[in-house]
Amino acid sequence: MKKLHKELEAFQLEKGWEISQQNSERSIESLLLNHMLLTTEIAEIAEELRKLMNLSFEMREGGIDKEHAFLLAKREVAEDIGKEIADSIAYLCKFATFFGRDIEEDVRNKLHEINNRKKPNLQKRMKEEVK
């Protein structure tokens, strides 16, 4: 992850796409712009997920088995969703660069925090209820 983060940082600097650190006003403008762009990319992931569901539904309506329809639809959106995920990661790395964060360390620390939580695990409960 560190290598990828450094590659993205260099690419963004080369293109002039980094978050401005010129002064507080420019930084705030740049942070807000990049937040808007990140949320746009996240919404584009949601659009691909909607496309997956719609394609799967249409194929089922056309007589294709539910599981097979889902796999076909998944293959159909895989490349485009990958592009949107990559765009999102690039923006997240840009924020990490601005705030001087080590993404690998932050992710590991977050996983450790989650692992030690005492709160109910919604995803685990949902899986158990589906069984």
Side-chain angles (χ1 to χ4, degrees):
M1 189 74 197
K2 286 181 186 186
K3 182 180 176 188
L4 176 62
H5 186 174
K6 288 292 178 196
E7 286 178 40
L8 284 166
E9 183 177 5
F11 180 79
Q12 292 160 351
L13 283 169
E14 177 186 312
K15 296 289 187 181
W17 294 344
E18 72 277 9
I19 295 174
S20 175
Q21 297 199 37
Q22 185 178 352
N23 57 47
S24 62
E25 189 174 326
R26 292 280 182 167
S27 291
I28 290 168
E29 288 174 4
S30 191
L31 286 164
L32 290 173
L33 171 64
N34 280 278
H35 181 267
M36 180 190 67
L37 295 169
L38 170 62
T39 57
T40 299
E41 296 303 335
I42 299 295
E44 288 174 358
I45 292 172
E47 285 295 322
E48 291 301 321
L49 293 173
R50 181 168 60 165
K51 182 177 174 184
L52 165 83
M53 290 178 235
N54 286 336
L55 285 170
S56 179
F57 178 78
E58 290 168 11
M59 287 186 233
R60 287 193 326 262
E61 290 287 301
I64 297 176
D65 167 75
K66 181 180 180 179
E67 293 300 318
H68 189 61
F70 181 78
L71 290 175
L72 290 172
K74 181 180 171 184
R75 279 191 218 130
E76 178 74 24
V77 303
E79 187 173 337
D80 287 339
I81 204 166
K83 291 176 184 178
E84 304 309 339
I85 291 168
D87 286 338
S88 299
I89 289 170
Y91 282 108
L92 291 169
C93 284
K94 204 186 288 193
F95 283 107
T97 297
F98 179 82
F99 288 101
R101 302 303 307 168
D102 179 326
I103 296 172
E104 273 189 55
E105 184 179 330
D106 287 343
V107 169
R108 285 191 183 99
N109 288 342
K110 186 63 180 183
L111 292 175
H112 179 74
E113 177 188 319
I114 290 167
N115 208 28
N116 292 316
R117 282 184 184 162
K118 302 297 181 214
K119 294 186 215 174
N121 184 325
L122 179 60
Q123 289 181 332
K124 183 178 176 184
R125 271 198 335 233
M126 288 175 67
K127 285 180 183 177
E128 289 171 355
E129 289 175 12
V130 170
K131 290 180 184 179

